[in-house]
Amino acid sequence: MINVGVIGTGYIGPVHIEALNRISGVKVKAVTDVNPELARKTAENYNVEHVYNDYTEILRDPSIDVIHNCTPNRLHYSITKEAIKYEKHVLSEKPLAMTLSEAEELAELAEKKGIVTGIDFCYRYYPVVQEMAVRVRRGDAGKVRMVSGTYFQDWLFFPTDYTWRLEKSESGESNIAADLGSHWFDLIQFVTGLKVVEVMADFATLIPVRKKPTRQVIAFEEAKEAETVDVKIEIEEYAAVLFRLSNGAPGSFTTCQACAGRKSDTEFQIYGDQCSFAWNHSKSTELWIGHREKPNETLIESPTALDSSTAAYATLPGGHPLGYHDAVLNLFKDFYQVLKNGKEPATNIARPTFSAGYEEMKILNALVESHKTRRWVQVKNL
Ligand SMILES: NC(=O)c1ccc[n+]([C@@H]2O[C@H](COP(=O)([O-])OP(=O)(O)OC[C@H]3O[C@@H](n4cnc5c(N)ncnc54)[C@H](O)[C@@H]3O)[C@@H](O)[C@H]2O)c1
C-alpha cells in the first residue's frame, strides 16, 4: 500500500482525496489543515484515519510515502521543499511556487533526490485533450499557424467575492495569470509540443477595492453574509496576452474571473496548415476538428474512437461522459503508476512533473515582467 498525506483541505484537497480513494494500492492515511475543523470534517467525509495538527507531523510520519500539497501558492515552495528533504514523493498543486527561482530550486532538488513529482495540470487529462495532443504532435494539423483561447470565470464578480488569490503575499506577483493562465499555457504547450518563447501581457484589476471577510472563505465559497473590511486589491483578475510559439506561430489568450455567467469556461484552438483542432471545457467530451474542404468532425470521447495510447483515459463506454474528477484521477493514476512500476506510463506524451511546473513558471515570470515594463519579453531560464 502506498500511504498518502494530504496537506490543505479547502476546495482542491477533497478533490484530490476523492480521486486517490479510487486508485487501488493507494491509501489516504492522513490529512491536515491550518483550520483543524476543515481537516476533521474532511477526514470524516472520506474515512481518513489520521488528522494531524500540522503538516510537519505528516512529513515526520515514516509510514507516509507521498504528500499532496493542496495549500495556497505561498506554501507550495516551503512545504514541498521540506517534503523532499524527508524523501516524500510530491504531487503539488499549481503553480509550482510563487517565483521562478523557487520553482527552479524545487525541480532541481527533486531530481537530485530521485523524488517522483507531479503537478495537477488536470485539464490535460480529459481523454479528448490527450487525443488532441497525440494528433497535433504527430502532424495531423500540419504546421501550427496560430493558437488562441480564453479562460473565463465569474466567482470574483461581486466586490464581496474574496479569495487569498487576490493577495500578493499569498498568491505571488499575479492572481489570474498564475491561477488560470498556468493551466491554459500548460494545455497549449502540451498539445502542440511547442514552447511559448515570447509574451506581451496586459493585466488589469477590475475591482480595485473589495470587501474581505474577517473569517476564512474557501475557494468558490460565497461570503456575502460575512463581516468584511475594505481592502485595496494589488493584483489582477484580468489578463490578456499576445505570444509567440517556438515555431514562430502567433497566439492570443484572454482570461478574467469577473465574467458574469462564465463558470469555469476555458477553450483553446489550434489552427494548422492542414486542419484545425479545438476543445471547450463546457463540452469536455468533444474534440472539434475543422476542415476547409470537407465537413468538420466532432470526435466524442470513447475508448473505441481514440488512439491506442489515449483510449485507456476514456474509462467508460462512449456516451457516458467523464468529468473533472475523472481528469484528476487520470493524472493521479499516471503518477502512482510510476511509484508502483518504477517507470513512466507507456503513453506517447510525458505526464506533468515539476519540470512542466517550472516551464509554466518561466512563462508566468515573463508575463509579469511584460505587464510591468509594457513590452514584449522573452520566456527564459533565470
Ligand atoms: N488543479 C486545479 O484545477 C486547481 C483547482 C483549484 C485550486 N488549485 C490550486 O490548489 C491550491 C489550493 O487552492 P484551493 O482552491 O483549494 O484554496 P482553498 O483556500 O479553498 O484551500 C486551501 C486550504 O489550505 C489550508 N492551509 C493554509 N495554510 C495551511 C498550512 N500551513 N497547512 C495546512 N493547510 C493550510 C487552508 O486553511 C485551506 O483550507 C492553490 O495553489 C490553487 O492554485 C488547483
Side-chain angles (χ1 to χ4, degrees):
M1 193 57 87
I2 300 172
N3 289 320
V4 182
V6 175
I7 303 173
T9 55
Y11 160 63
I12 204 70
V15 172
H16 281 233
I17 299 170
E18 181 94 33
L20 288 163
N21 283 351
R22 292 165 66 193
I23 306 176
S24 70
V26 172
K27 181 177 179 183
V28 180
K29 192 164 177 206
V31 290
T32 188
D33 195 288
V34 77
N35 176 339
E37 188 53 20
L38 267 183
R40 194 193 54 73
K41 271 194 196 147
T42 306
E44 208 174 279
N45 288 346
Y46 294 96
N47 298 316
V48 179
E49 276 169 30
H50 301 285
V51 177
Y52 286 128
N53 294 319
D54 189 74
Y55 77 87
T56 57
E57 288 179 16
I58 289 197
L59 300 186
R60 286 199 304 268
D61 179 343
S63 73
I64 302 272
D65 307 294
V66 181
I67 68 121
H68 283 232
N69 189 346
C70 300
T71 58
N73 303 1
R74 174 176 63 86
L75 294 158
H76 290 182
Y77 168 73
S78 54
I79 293 180
T80 298
K81 186 174 169 185
E82 220 175 320
I84 296 171
K85 278 197 189 139
Y86 278 90
E87 303 195 335
K88 309 290 183 198
H89 303 291
V90 185
L91 202 144
S92 173
E93 262 309 336
K94 38 57 59 173
L96 182 55
M98 286 214 304
T99 68
L100 184 56
S101 63
E102 289 174 354
E104 184 183 49
E105 190 185 334
L106 291 179
E108 281 177 8
L109 200 61
E111 185 160 354
K112 205 159 86 195
K113 286 264 202 171
I115 298 296
V116 176
T117 63
I119 183 155
D120 190 19
F121 287 133
C122 50
Y123 292 92
R124 281 189 188 201
Y125 274 88
Y126 281 95
V128 298
V129 173
Q130 290 280 331
E131 182 70 13
M132 194 202 287
V134 166
R135 292 182 183 220
V136 172
R137 283 174 178 235
R138 79 181 173 207
D140 289 16
K143 178 179 182 297
V144 173
R145 283 177 169 160
M146 188 275 268
V147 172
S148 80
T150 53
Y151 198 157
F152 296 139
Q153 297 183 331
D154 71 359
W155 69 298
L156 299 182
F157 178 76
F158 292 115
T160 45
D161 293 328
Y162 201 83
T163 166
W164 54 261
R165 287 167 174 79
L166 294 160
E167 293 174 17
K168 248 188 197 177
S169 58
E170 292 291 315
S171 196
E173 288 290 313
S174 154
N175 159 30
I176 199 168
D179 189 20
L180 305 186
S182 63
H183 274 304
W184 195 88
F185 283 109
D186 177 70
L187 275 173
I188 58 134
Q189 293 201 141
F190 169 65
V191 165
T192 63
L194 299 167
K195 297 280 183 233
V196 174
V197 293
E198 204 176 12
V199 299
M200 170 76 202
D202 181 32
F203 294 178
T205 305
L206 307 182
I207 302 179
V209 176
R210 284 182 183 262
K211 300 200 170 294
K212 178 179 177 173
T214 49
R215 66 163 173 84
Q216 181 180 20
V217 175
I218 64 169
F220 307 109
E221 184 188 352
E222 270 201 67
K224 279 190 187 146
E225 305 310 321
E227 296 256 322
T228 61
V229 286
D230 283 3
V231 290
K232 194 170 170 302
I233 303 299
E234 289 175 306
I235 48 180
E236 87 292 0
E237 72 283 78
Y238 162 93
V241 182
L242 298 177
F243 59 90
R244 288 278 171 171
L245 292 171
S246 42
N247 71 345
S252 64
F253 169 60
T254 307
T255 183
C256 180
Q257 290 151 322
C259 299
R262 300 291 180 199
K263 303 305 171 189
S264 187
D265 288 14
T266 187
E267 50 83 26
F268 65 101
Q269 307 169 40
I270 313 284
Y271 292 99
D273 65 8
Q274 296 301 307
C275 70
S276 317
F277 283 87
W279 181 78
N280 190 316
H281 191 217
S282 63
K283 290 184 177 175
S284 64
T285 60
E286 296 182 12
L287 175 59
W288 181 85
I289 307 168
H291 301 286
R292 164 74 185 264
E293 289 180 314
K294 60 178 185 179
N296 298 336
E297 301 165 66
T298 303
L299 188 157
I300 310 280
E301 167 190 288
S302 154
T304 55
L306 302 184
D307 186 85
S308 59
S309 62
T310 64
Y313 296 120
T315 48
L316 292 170
H320 301 81
L322 303 192
Y324 183 78
H325 275 123
D326 305 288
V328 174
L329 173 65
N330 278 338
L331 187 152
F332 289 6
K333 274 186 181 164
D334 273 5
F335 174 86
Y336 283 94
Q337 234 188 76
V338 181
L339 284 174
K340 287 177 193 166
N341 305 338
K343 57 178 195 289
E344 292 290 333
T347 46
N348 286 355
I349 302 159
R351 61 180 189 85
T353 62
F354 280 8
S355 147
Y358 175 66
E359 287 300 314
E360 211 306 301
M361 286 300 297
K362 285 199 307 195
I363 300 173
L364 181 63
N365 202 46
L367 293 176
V368 170
E369 189 187 331
S370 169
H371 167 66
K372 284 185 176 162
T373 57
R374 316 304 289 154
R375 61 177 177 83
W376 282 88
V377 170
Q378 306 243 314
V379 175
K380 53 183 183 309
N381 293 321
L382 272 180

